[in-house]
Amino acid sequence: MPRTALPALLLLGAFTSPGRGAEPPKGALPPAVEFARDVQPIFAKHCVSCHGPDKQRGGLRLDRSADALKGGDTGKALVPGKPAESLLLKKLTIEDAQERMPPNRDPLTAEQIRALTAWVEAGAKWPAVEGAADAHWAFQAVTRPAVPTATAQTRNAIDAFVAAKLNASGLALSPEADRRTLIRRLKFDLLGLPPTPEEVEAFVNDKDANAYEKLVDKYLASPHYGERWARHWLDTVRFAESNGFETNQLRPNAWHYRDYVIKALNDDKPYDQFVREQLAGDTLGADAATGFIVGGAWDEVKSPDITLTLNQRADELHDMIGTTGSTFLGLTVACARCHAHKFDPISQLDYYRIKAVFAGVQHGERPVRTGDTVARAKEADRLRAQLAELEAKLAALEPLADPAATDARRVSVNARLNTERFKPVRAKFVRFVTFETNSVEPCLDELEVFSFGSKPVNVALASNGAKATSSGDYPGSPNIHSLPFINDGKYGNGRSWISNKSGRGWVELELAEPTVIDRVAWARDREGRYTDRVSTRYRIDVSTDHESWIVVASSDDRVPFAEGASAVPSGLTGAERAAWVKLTQQIGGFRKQIEELARGQLAYAGRLMVPEETHRLHRGDATQKKEVVGPGALGELGPKLTIPENATDPERRAALAKWITDPAHPLTARVMVNRLWQHHFGTGIVDTPSDFGRNGGKPTHPELLDWLASELVAPSVGEEPLPNPSPKGRGAEGKEGSAPPSFLGKGAGGLGSSNPWSLKHMHRLIVTSATYRQASRASDAGLAKDAQTRLLWRYPPQRIEAEPLRDAVLFVSGKLDLKMGGPGFDLFEPNGNYVKVYTPRKQFGPAEFRRMVYQQKPRMQLDDTFGVFDCPDAGQIAPKRNVSTTPLQALNLLNSTFVLQQAGYFAERVEKDAGAAPSAQVNRVFLLAFQRPPTDKERTAATKLVKEHGLAALCRAVLNANEFVFVD
């Protein structure tokens, strides 16, 4: 057996509750007990199934000394040096076979018990086991290391650590890059956009010694910073705006989470708060942030098969668990679904504890608090008041109000809207009963009950406290036809209730409190798309006590249903009919506006329910439930966490979020600063950014990683001198000059100060370092010793990703729309298929000229042009993008409809800026695309191309150049 497997099998005792039993057997104790020889075989054979890493009966876990000595729910199992006080030894000698450990099995022999007794007598010492949890570097507490001695090139502590590592390999930092290179690198890095020629010239000619630092602060303060860095985060958390699976329908309100991330980054929201809000934003005034939890794929096609349904729900929660672990902790927690993690100290029980934390979260939308909520609410109130006036006018036209009418019956029911008016009556319960339909099972898209008075309120809404029950719910598509949709305030077939019986069924609403009501509105489909399943014979009853019922409306006084019959009541004069039609159209318009206002406040941020009971599943099989598991976190990593089993859904998530963001947690800060480093340099200090476990990569600069992590949590205040206080420094052009600053970094508020958990502070530290400001030119010595540039002897050149590449094309063509926020644009042709078909657009206009972070990104479907540039499809987390070179990339940049269009716009811009002279046009093209003038050779070749093939041909060629798509 390999030594790393020992922790799962060693030292497992048997203990549940104290009991009366015999004293440990008397007799000569073994002269010298060896743990591996005498104790471990006993525990491995008799106790592993009850008190191992996957199960801890009685709250006792014995595979680690800390837990074993702590004991279980009822006392100390092991008391070193005191066998008589060790409950484990007592339980081994009880006569009752059910009480004795191990239960209902042969008892331990006297020799085995003597060996255990001797071990306890000798102190119950546990041997050090190779691969124990506290031996892995990432699981140890973060301590702030001493900064190495500075060198002449050192600008801050980062450089001191990097230079020390380079020196040990016989290498050194490269000279500083020129200013044109630096500004292009910095702007793409922080904002995802190229600098303008005017920005470049201003920076190159800025004589201020702090010109570069001023540029850093300017870019960090830009709203485009959040757009750039949100894209990195959205990759990490697998965000997309469709469900995935076979239907892959869009989520029209998922964009709220994307906007939340952008704003949070722009505001420099402390990272610990950023984490807490994504897990429990509903408790912190950041509702849209919980879009993180439900950001993954969701199988909306349900089935009456209980096994499939259970597995679908288990998979939903598995995604939430896995993404939380990988994003914030850099751990593959999802690997513990079926058994204890094979490499990291994560038990199967830990997995199900975290599952219990998310057991109240369901995929879907819910109302959220947004900045314009008050304004929307006021507008909705105004529209409702006007709607009430119109409905009162419509009621006056109903034939029943005129006894002289030729036909006193009401109009026949229709699929779109039916209003039942009656004398005011007090009700606590309202029941709609269907006896007959025009086809199959009855369907209601919304059942509304209005209070009596000058300002009627729909008291049937779940958000107003009403609860729904039914005779039975349609099993076929619960994601579309489900009881909660009967009073969720949303219209249409996609949010409706269907009975489980053909032609009949009932649905009942219990109001929050007894209310005087005078109107009920119902429909089959208010969007007007479906006309089947209409309740043609029905009755509406009300009650105050659920025992005595009163019929307030029915189909008895309506004209018999006929397919295609007019919805206008009979018995109206020509003027009355015209008024009826006009009023119903106005009412429909007002209802639609009110619905849109309400919909604007909905976000795909999860429906938060009462947590369902969580069981440990045998080998992860959703049909094989074992013991009930309460909420919690990882038992062996991070601070201890106890969450009461009766904790509410928000309390569970808030507790987990607090545990993750505890400053003492060994992983949270390390993982985040490594992500920042990765996106600045192309590869993280740890090259597996979402796996800091034993199977992940090892840090190239472990001391630097810990220094950065400690700086994120508790930044240095004021000036913290480097070990060499006055090293000789260089200016912004890499020349000998003034000494570098003696402080370790600048905070979000300025020189030498920062708030805890500030990401902008960390960005500033990194990009102002000499390490970041190096030239990218390769050297033979560097390539020979470190071909991958992991030691950072130069700045590693990087190809810009798909999104900033598309943005850059639009930027230089002059067509980029910098509008921020709101619903995104679609790069696919619209269609309403049940199974969403994604047909790429071939024509692009201003609506598609926004930054690509605002694309309405579907899952499992990439943009036709830029998707080939290693753009993740959000089928799973993508903490690190691949960088490939393929023929399709070159062909798309050369021949795609989009790039050809933008090359034309680019040419129009250049001609407007530079005039008709080819030489001037060439100069402007190079300045816009490459932030530099052309060389003489380039100018000659480019001018010839313009004269022979036109300016658009040059623009097209430039957009395909390596210099355009790479940053060095």
Side-chain angles (χ1 to χ4, degrees):
M1 177 183 297
R3 297 182 67 188
T4 53
L6 288 177
L9 300 176
L10 299 184
L11 313 174
L12 300 173
F15 168 67
T16 53
S17 59
R20 298 177 61 189
E23 291 293 320
K26 300 183 183 301
L29 296 178
V33 176
E34 291 186 9
F35 179 85
R37 181 192 66 198
D38 303 313
V39 178
Q40 187 271 335
I42 299 173
F43 289 153
K45 180 178 181 180
H46 298 284
C47 310
V48 67
S49 60
C50 294
H51 303 283
D54 295 335
K55 186 190 300 184
Q56 294 90 42
R57 287 188 177 176
L60 181 65
R61 182 172 181 177
L62 295 173
D63 60 328
R64 298 176 307 188
S65 59
D67 289 326
L69 297 176
K70 180 179 66 176
D73 296 339
T74 54
K76 295 280 189 178
L78 297 169
V79 182
K82 299 180 180 180
E85 298 180 20
S86 299
L87 296 177
L88 168 61
L89 298 177
K90 293 183 179 181
K91 294 292 289 186
L92 295 174
T93 55
I94 294 175
E95 294 183 2
D96 187 331
Q98 293 184 344
E99 288 291 325
R100 184 181 61 234
M101 294 292 110
N104 298 315
R105 289 162 57 185
D106 292 338
L108 267 61
T109 65
E111 181 181 358
Q112 290 172 322
I113 294 175
R114 280 198 298 271
L116 294 176
T117 303
W119 175 63
V120 174
E121 181 93 74
K125 295 181 179 179
W126 299 62
V129 179
E130 182 180 342
D134 57 0
H136 183 58
W137 67 268
F139 303 154
Q140 299 176 25
V142 175
T143 57
R144 192 180 186 94
V147 179
T149 301
T151 68
Q153 294 173 295
T154 301
R155 289 184 175 274
N156 62 30
I158 290 173
D159 304 325
F161 285 106
V162 173
K165 196 82 171 181
L166 288 171
N167 183 61
S169 300
L171 299 171
L173 292 170
S174 294
E176 187 163 299
D178 64 83
R179 284 196 173 190
R180 291 183 188 275
T181 299
L182 284 177
I183 188 173
R184 188 172 194 271
R185 177 190 301 173
L186 186 69
K187 192 172 182 184
F188 265 115
D189 198 3
L190 293 182
L191 305 187
L193 296 169
T196 65
E198 294 72 25
E199 283 181 279
V200 175
E201 291 308 310
F203 177 57
V204 168
N205 296 313
D206 191 339
K207 303 302 182 182
D208 191 330
N210 291 318
Y212 180 80
E213 286 76 13
K214 290 191 304 180
L215 192 65
V216 170
D217 286 341
K218 174 185 174 182
Y219 287 162
L220 286 175
S222 168
H224 304 311
Y225 155 79
E227 294 172 324
R228 167 60 163 154
W229 283 81
R231 182 66 266 164
H232 296 317
W233 185 260
L234 297 176
D235 283 0
T236 302
V237 304
R238 55 42 177 141
F239 171 79
E241 298 181 57
S242 72
N243 291 331
F245 292 91
E246 63 266 33
T247 61
N248 207 13
Q249 290 291 336
L250 288 174
R251 298 172 177 173
N253 291 310
W255 58 267
H256 286 282
Y257 175 73
R258 174 247 293 153
D259 280 8
Y260 160 79
V261 174
I262 292 172
K263 186 176 187 305
L265 294 177
N266 277 333
D267 292 346
D268 198 22
K269 182 166 289 186
Y271 180 67
D272 60 339
Q273 183 181 347
F274 184 54
V275 173
R276 289 195 297 270
E277 288 179 351
Q278 291 178 78
L279 293 170
D282 50 305
T283 70
L284 300 169
D287 292 275
T290 57
F292 160 80
I293 306 175
V294 292
W298 176 59
D299 190 355
E300 66 175 332
V301 180
K302 304 303 181 185
S303 167
D305 180 81
I306 186 63
T307 300
L308 178 58
T309 300
L310 288 173
N311 278 308
Q312 285 175 316
R313 178 58 177 160
D315 288 345
E316 292 169 13
L317 292 168
H318 181 74
D319 169 72
M320 300 175 195
I321 298 163
T323 306
T324 298
S326 65
T327 299
F328 303 126
L329 302 176
L331 292 175
T332 54
V333 178
C335 292
R337 178 177 182 174
C338 306
H339 48 69
H341 200 290
K342 295 298 185 183
F343 304 99
D344 298 330
I346 305 170
S347 70
Q348 189 189 28
L349 190 62
D350 287 342
Y351 175 94
Y352 288 96
R353 287 191 182 112
I354 300 176
K355 182 178 180 180
V357 170
F358 295 115
V361 181
Q362 298 279 349
H363 272 263
E365 298 176 339
R366 74 172 192 274
V368 301
R369 288 162 284 185
T370 60
D372 60 351
T373 298
V374 175
R376 285 177 174 273
K378 288 182 178 179
E379 176 64 7
D381 287 343
R382 186 186 69 79
L383 292 174
R384 289 190 187 97
Q386 291 183 259
L387 179 63
E389 294 178 10
L390 293 174
E391 289 181 329
K393 292 179 180 179
L394 187 67
L397 291 175
E398 290 188 357
L400 285 177
D402 182 6
T406 308
D407 185 350
R409 290 182 298 172
R410 292 191 294 156
V411 67
S412 171
V413 296
N414 66 88
R416 190 150 196 166
L417 178 64
N418 302 281
T419 302
E420 313 289 344
R421 302 176 186 278
F422 40 83
K423 293 180 180 179
V425 61
R426 190 174 182 81
K428 170 71 172 174
F429 302 92
V430 178
R431 186 165 59 197
F432 187 102
V433 186
T434 299
F435 301 103
E436 189 176 322
T437 67
N438 66 336
S439 65
V440 294
E441 303 88 351
C443 176
L444 297 174
D445 78 337
E446 189 77 5
L447 186 60
E448 297 174 309
V449 179
F450 294 93
S451 60
F452 173 70
S454 59
K455 293 184 178 181
V457 174
N458 179 12
V459 293
L461 287 170
S463 58
N464 286 333
K467 299 178 182 178
T469 54
S470 71
S471 56
D473 306 327
Y474 186 67
S477 302
N479 58 307
I480 297 175
H481 309 298
S482 181
L483 184 61
F485 299 154
I486 195 69
N487 62 336
D488 65 350
K490 297 183 68 175
Y491 299 150
N493 178 72
R495 303 282 294 187
S496 62
W497 169 79
I498 297 182
S499 171
N500 65 342
K501 295 180 180 179
S502 180
R504 59 188 303 133
W506 57 263
V507 65
E508 181 182 301
L509 298 173
E510 179 183 357
L511 308 183
E513 56 185 7
T515 306
V516 177
I517 63 174
D518 68 342
R519 178 164 46 103
V520 170
W522 62 276
R524 186 274 179 253
D525 176 19
R526 299 185 202 216
E527 293 179 340
R529 297 172 59 191
Y530 297 90
T531 58
D532 61 343
R533 304 180 185 273
V534 178
S535 297
T536 56
R537 193 161 67 86
Y538 63 90
R539 187 183 73 217
I540 300 176
D541 309 328
V542 301
S543 174
T544 56
D545 57 7
H546 209 261
E547 294 184 2
S548 300
W549 294 85
I550 301 172
V551 178
V552 294
S554 73
S555 56
D556 293 347
D557 62 351
R558 286 189 179 274
V559 173
F561 177 79
E563 295 287 352
S566 172
V568 181
S570 57
L572 298 181
T573 66
E576 289 172 335
R577 288 177 64 85
W580 176 280
V581 172
K582 182 178 180 180
L583 284 169
T584 53
Q585 290 175 342
Q586 289 178 317
I587 288 172
F590 275 107
R591 284 187 177 276
K592 184 176 182 180
Q593 290 182 60
I594 293 171
E595 179 186 356
E596 288 175 351
L597 284 169
R599 186 180 294 276
Q601 299 174 63
L602 291 173
Y604 200 93
R607 293 185 294 116
L608 309 177
M609 323 290 282
V610 175
E612 59 200 42
E613 192 171 63
T614 300
H615 292 258
R616 186 176 65 86
L617 302 178
H618 180 61
R619 296 189 177 182
D621 186 341
T623 65
Q624 297 192 52
K625 294 182 178 179
K626 296 298 183 181
E627 72 276 11
V628 174
V629 177
L634 304 181
E636 295 190 36
L637 297 174
K640 296 300 179 184
L641 175 66
T642 301
I643 305 177
E645 291 189 8
N646 63 349
T648 63
D649 165 65
E651 289 171 342
R652 295 178 182 205
R653 289 181 287 105
L656 178 65
K658 185 177 180 181
W659 176 80
I660 290 174
T661 56
D662 189 313
H665 203 294
L667 289 164
T668 309
R670 278 186 175 124
V671 169
M672 190 55 195
V673 295
N674 187 68
R675 294 195 193 283
L676 300 181
W677 191 270
Q678 170 191 309
H679 295 304
H680 282 300
F681 291 102
T683 305
I685 295 173
V686 178
D687 63 0
T688 53
S690 286
D691 186 1
F692 272 44
R694 293 193 185 101
N695 253 18
K698 294 182 178 179
T700 54
H701 301 75
E703 296 83 7
L704 172 59
L705 181 64
D706 277 13
W707 188 90
L708 291 168
S710 64
E711 181 70 9
L712 174 63
V713 176
S716 52
V717 179
E719 295 189 354
E720 183 177 333
L722 292 169
N724 180 0
S726 301
K728 193 174 183 181
R730 294 171 295 118
E733 292 291 345
K735 301 175 181 178
E736 297 297 325
S738 60
S742 60
F743 53 85
L744 290 182
K746 299 178 184 179
L751 274 177
S753 65
S754 179
N755 297 319
W757 296 97
S758 167
L759 297 184
K760 287 190 178 182
H761 170 56
M762 304 309 297
H763 284 299
R764 185 178 288 105
L765 273 173
I766 293 171
V767 301
T768 57
S769 69
T771 303
Y772 180 85
R773 294 159 71 164
Q774 295 178 94
S776 62
R777 184 180 296 276
S779 69
D780 292 339
L783 292 175
K785 295 184 178 181
D786 179 27
Q788 300 301 316
T789 322
R790 295 298 307 281
L791 299 180
L792 296 173
W793 49 272
R794 64 165 178 159
Y795 178 83
Q798 300 175 58
R799 192 187 71 196
I800 57 178
E801 309 97 296
E803 294 86 354
L805 177 56
R806 185 181 192 271
D807 295 348
V809 171
L810 288 164
F811 189 83
V812 299
S813 75
K815 294 298 182 180
L816 182 60
D817 180 358
L818 292 174
K819 173 187 174 184
M820 296 182 65
F825 63 91
D826 196 352
L827 289 177
F828 300 90
E829 298 291 349
N831 68 79
N833 296 24
Y834 176 68
V835 176
K836 179 73 172 175
V837 178
Y838 289 93
T839 304
R841 287 183 184 272
K842 298 301 181 185
Q843 300 296 323
F844 305 94
E848 291 79 49
F849 293 166
R850 298 177 66 193
R851 296 200 68 175
M852 199 173 178
V853 72
Y854 296 114
Q855 178 203 355
Q856 193 178 62
K857 182 178 175 64
R859 208 176 302 275
M860 310 301 293
Q861 186 67 50
L862 297 176
D863 162 54
D864 223 24
T865 302
F866 294 93
V868 297
F869 286 89
D870 305 298
C871 199
D873 64 8
Q876 55 188 342
I877 62 171
K880 182 178 181 180
R881 293 192 181 188
N882 295 324
V883 181
S884 65
T885 302
T886 69
L888 277 177
Q889 295 168 354
L891 289 171
N892 279 6
L893 278 186
L894 188 65
N895 299 320
S896 68
T897 302
F898 177 80
V899 175
L900 287 173
Q901 176 196 49
Q902 295 305 313
Y905 287 140
F906 189 7
E908 291 175 6
R909 175 187 181 179
V910 169
E911 190 169 6
K912 182 179 178 181
D913 290 352
S919 59
Q921 292 175 347
V922 168
N923 194 64
R924 186 63 176 169
V925 166
F926 272 70
L927 289 175
L928 286 168
F930 303 146
Q931 293 77 54
R932 66 170 178 83
T935 64
D936 291 341
K937 184 178 180 180
E938 289 170 334
R939 182 178 289 105
T940 299
T943 302
K944 181 179 179 183
L945 179 62
V946 171
K947 289 178 178 179
E948 293 180 358
H949 299 283
L951 180 56
L954 173 63
C955 292
R956 181 182 176 192
V958 164
L959 296 179
N960 281 266
N962 274 350
E963 188 172 349
F964 185 77
V965 300
F966 276 82
V967 170
D968 58 13

